[in-house]
Amino acid sequence: MANATSDILTRCSDRSLSSLAQGLIGSEVLKIAGEVRAYASSGRSVANLTVGDFAPTEFRIPRALEAQIVANLAAGQTNYPPSDGTLELRRAVLAFFQESFGLEYPLESTLIAGGSRPIIFAAYAAVVDRGDAVIYPTPSWNNNHYTYLSGGRPIELKVGAETNFMPTAAMIRPHVREAALLAVCTPLNPTGTVMNRGEVEAIATLAVEENERRATTGQRPLFILWDQVYWMLTFGENRHWTPPQVVPEAAAYTIFVDGISKALAATGLRVGWTVAPPAVTARMRDIIGHVGAWSPKAEQLAVATFLGQKDEIASYHETMIRELRLRLDTLYDGLMEMRREGLPVNAIAPQGAIYLSAQFNLIDRFGTNEAIRRFLLEQAGFAVVPFQAFGTKEEDGWFRLSAGAVSVRDCEEGLVRVRAAIAGLA
Ligand SMILES: Cc1ncc(COP(=O)(O)O)c(C=O)c1O
């Protein structure tokens, strides 16, 4: 019977689907991560630096948050949440914004969702019409996919080490008149770099001036999607800035993407939020409502309590950032040591998020980043993701190394194997 059903089911194939579905590209990172898992299950040592996630054995969610979730579940907080999120969490998010950035927003500005992805999807759907131009840097995380899903026209800005892998106002300016959305992420996935205050100000000023011009033409405004899901993981000399902090008028066009997935090592809890102009938030709420991509109520209530516990948050981040930096610095120092030995590798000093940008300049030998990736995995048990998975087109040897699911020892042992493998090529 099962076989007969299987035969019948083959009559439906990818070609049966909508052109939107047929044209969609799945997550390249998850594909690579699956391949790495299969490699590791064959018993070989591997430093898995692929997924932008945390191993709970290395990074746990805060105990106080965990206890609150359990208490709220036990108290029966298991029904539908309000479609824009619980009042407790919306108020807590706004108080947190005020404390962290000195920005005051009305209650109608904020909306809670089941992680930051629904927030991004809803923001694109709310402001991008078919054919509208969307500006974003490459590499950057998933803007190519969200632009595709919304029917937008991509304007990709290739960014490199010379601008700290960040887009600049000068790069954006030639395209600003035609765009409906500018997507910025800082600290940036995949590079682990942070946009400085001067560039935030220049970009915010550019958007405000463009929107003042549009106010007289009837053209819809240019919105800025400000994805700051890693902002609490900014470290060293670096500081996180937002457009409305440096150019207050930018608040009318800034759509924040934020949440706990990365900041509290809580990728599986699914709590994200936006803060945006109320007119945008209201439509994002309706879009998310139709998908039902709400955040579970017990978790919303727990996060609301946790966001009010300043000391708990500070001590959690002190430990988390120390542990992250141990891993990122180990990787960075190890690669720079190889560079000093004359091996063709390079890296950008870590500034934020859970990532390190590393270059394995073996293109002359292997031809493509994909071939270098396979070499590092198969010869060194060192699993990394090429920037191509983030929209980069050039074969330039740059890769993302993600530090959330490895121990310091995994990094050290992986580096020893990488050094031997690359030195062996000579
Ligand atoms: C820059 C950025 N924004 C948003 C997200 C989505 O986060 P969430 O797990 O909350 O959907 C990710 C996840 O990797 C990310 O890297």
Side-chain angles (χ1 to χ4, degrees):
M1 193 59 201
N3 275 348
T5 308
S6 298
D7 286 348
I8 292 167
L9 291 176
T10 60
R11 292 176 202 163
C12 175
S13 72
D14 204 45
R15 284 199 314 278
S16 320
L17 310 183
S18 69
S19 43
L20 179 112
Q22 288 189 50
L24 197 58
I25 298 168
S27 165
E28 295 89 344
V29 179
L30 296 185
K31 207 166 93 198
I32 291 171
E35 189 187 309
V36 173
R37 266 196 303 278
Y39 178 88
S41 69
S42 70
R44 285 175 283 189
S45 297
V46 57
N48 190 352
L49 303 159
T50 56
V51 286
D53 196 3
F54 301 91
T57 45
E58 304 293 329
F59 293 92
R60 276 197 75 108
I61 62 167
R63 299 283 175 181
L65 176 62
E66 187 181 312
Q68 277 291 326
I69 295 170
V70 172
N72 278 294
L73 281 174
Q77 298 287 4
T78 51
N79 59 329
Y80 282 134
S83 65
D84 43 10
T86 65
L87 205 52
E88 290 86 343
L89 183 52
R90 294 169 72 212
R91 284 191 177 133
V93 163
L94 294 182
F96 195 61
F97 247 63
Q98 153 84 61
E99 241 164 59
S100 307
F101 309 122
L103 297 173
E104 244 179 87
Y105 279 83
L107 188 62
E108 299 71 36
S109 279
T110 192
L111 158 71
I112 314 300
S116 303
R117 281 175 178 80
I119 294 288
I120 301 173
F121 177 82
Y124 268 83
V127 303
V128 178
D129 266 335
R130 296 209 141 265
D132 278 351
V134 180
I135 305 174
Y136 57 87
T138 56
S140 69
W141 180 81
N142 276 5
N143 283 303
N144 49 352
H145 301 311
Y146 289 110
T147 300
Y148 171 78
L149 278 171
S150 63
R153 179 165 52 86
I155 297 183
E156 298 188 337
L157 306 176
K158 177 189 165 359
V159 296
E162 60 291 346
T163 63
N164 199 28
F165 283 104
M166 282 289 160
T168 64
M171 289 176 187
I172 296 162
R173 186 165 287 110
H175 310 285
V176 76
R177 290 204 164 192
E178 52 181 319
L181 184 66
L182 163 66
V184 175
C185 172
T186 179
L188 179 62
N189 178 6
T191 61
T193 54
V194 171
M195 188 178 284
N196 66 39
R197 183 191 164 126
E199 210 55 59
V200 175
E201 187 172 351
I203 289 174
T205 303
L206 180 64
V208 166
E209 285 172 1
E210 169 61 13
N211 285 330
E212 279 165 3
R213 189 191 67 80
R214 289 188 193 186
T216 61
T217 67
Q219 187 182 354
R220 286 180 10 252
L222 166 68
F223 285 94
I224 308 174
L225 189 70
W226 201 258
D227 185 339
Q228 55 174 25
V229 298
Y230 297 95
W231 79 268
M232 290 181 237
L233 309 177
T234 304
F235 41 77
E237 307 279 281
N238 305 285
R239 200 178 143 189
H240 177 71
W241 290 97
T242 71
Q245 279 174 293
V246 287
V247 181
E249 295 78 10
Y253 319 109
T254 304
I255 306 172
F256 282 100
V257 178
D258 209 340
I260 66 165
S261 291
K262 313 293 170 154
L264 302 179
T267 49
L269 294 189
R270 311 315 299 153
V271 184
W273 55 81
T274 191
V275 174
V280 180
T281 306
R283 286 311 190 179
M284 286 171 64
R285 174 201 60 212
D286 296 341
I287 292 160
I288 286 172
H290 286 310
V291 184
W294 303 300
S295 175
K297 200 171 166 192
E299 296 172 7
Q300 291 196 40
L301 294 171
V303 174
T305 305
F306 190 73
L307 284 185
Q309 297 173 340
K310 262 185 274 172
D311 295 346
E312 289 276 357
I313 296 177
S315 87
Y316 180 79
H317 279 143
E318 200 186 306
T319 310
M320 183 181 188
I321 288 175
R322 187 180 62 236
E323 288 297 321
L324 267 176
R325 289 191 73 176
L326 268 176
R327 290 157 177 75
L328 292 168
D329 289 346
T330 298
L331 291 165
Y332 176 72
D333 292 346
L335 292 169
M336 295 315 268
E337 181 67 38
M338 290 179 211
R339 182 176 172 81
R340 279 190 292 277
E341 285 173 35
L343 297 181
V345 299
N346 200 3
I348 306 284
Q351 301 161 24
I354 61 175
Y355 308 113
L356 181 78
S357 292
Q359 189 184 33
F360 298 94
N361 206 344
L362 301 167
I363 288 294
D364 285 352
R365 167 105 190 192
F366 289 101
T368 63
N369 278 17
E370 173 59 15
I372 298 171
R373 180 187 77 77
R374 288 188 164 278
F375 163 74
L376 292 170
L377 178 63
E378 286 160 15
Q379 302 302 315
F382 200 72
V384 296
V385 179
F387 277 4
Q388 272 75 12
F390 308 97
T392 293
K393 305 286 187 297
E394 296 72 22
E395 302 290 350
D396 54 8
W398 281 99
F399 291 81
R400 181 185 85 171
L401 279 50
S402 177
V406 283
S407 64
V408 176
R409 192 153 170 215
D410 291 335
C411 299
E412 287 166 349
E413 293 178 354
L415 286 164
V416 170
R417 295 191 298 267
V418 167
R419 195 190 158 282
I422 297 180
L425 289 173

